[in-house]
Amino acid sequence: MIAGVVNVTPDSFSDGGMFLSPPAAIAHARQLLNDGADILDMGAESTRPGAEPVSADEEWSRLEPVLDGLRELRNEGAVISVDTTKLDVARRAVEAGAAIINDVSALRHDPGIAELAARTGVGLVLMHMRGTPRTMQENTRYGDVAGEVRSFLERALGQAVQAGCDPAQIAIDPGIGFGKDLAGNLELLARIGELADLGAPVWVGVSRKRFLGDLLGTPPDDRLAGTIAASLEAVRSGATAVRVHDVREMRHALTVARAIQGRREAA
Ligand code: HH2
């Protein structure tokens, strides 16, 4: 599956300010669905390294008009995910029709998100991050990055189930770029299968991220080919959903890769 990113923020690392106005965000969301997104992942607080947190009221005032403007598309079956760590925002988003809560703090910021998901039955994405966006790049050293991320996600999964969630509601995400260096990100992408072994679908978000710039020496607007390559590799390693800004190109790449994989399996 493809989750298309809609950042309703002034400061996201690759598209900050582009979709802050509700009409621009709504038009972008429609475009991503036409381009082949299965899910729209809407965020109103940047999580880039060093980003300043925003209040729940500010976050909601950015999201509300966009969710409202997408009501018709939702009625036609569009699946909306809201990228938030705040219970208050998550609750309002679910009331406004969001079907998935994408919590990049994996319940550390607001554990009540697990009860909300349990009570309402919405999907819940639990992502690994060290510390907070403000601090996460201060220490990117791990003994065994894949093992640590796996244990963290296993604990978070257990916490959500303890709070009443059905395991089938939950997806996990290694948090590419969230408190990891280049080697750590590559190691995680190569070892997604170990996370998939936990039994939950795995989301992976590599889109335009800094590790691609480290490899390619290019700015965020020139990391598309790298994004596609890394996303395909993640799928090959066991990821079920890729979170990207460039949905059309990702859809084309997945269609071609899947056709070849189908041949390989038939041979
Ligand atoms: N990455 C970003 C934000 N949310 N959620 C999940 N589950 N996985 C990710 O890898 C992930 C995420 C960062 O990307 P972006 O939204 O483009 O930037 P910003 O946080 O600056 O808005």
Side-chain angles (χ1 to χ4, degrees), residues 7 12-13 46-47 83 102 104 127 173 178 205 209 243 245:
N7 281 324
S12 286
F13 78 96
S46 173
T47 55
D83 186 344
N102 172 21
V104 299
M127 194 198 80
D173 185 323
F178 287 82
K209 283 185 179 171
R243 180 186 180 278
H245 301 86

Side-chain angles (χ1 to χ4, degrees), residues 6-46:
V6 182
N7 281 324
V8 195
T9 60
D11 57 344
S12 286
F13 78 96
S14 76
D15 55 359
M18 285 175 73
F19 310 113
L20 187 56
S21 86
I26 293 165
H28 187 56
R30 287 178 181 279
Q31 183 63 52
L32 295 185
L33 288 171
N34 282 338
D35 288 346
D38 301 289
I39 298 167
L40 294 173
D41 188 38
M42 310 212 348
E45 177 179 48
S46 173

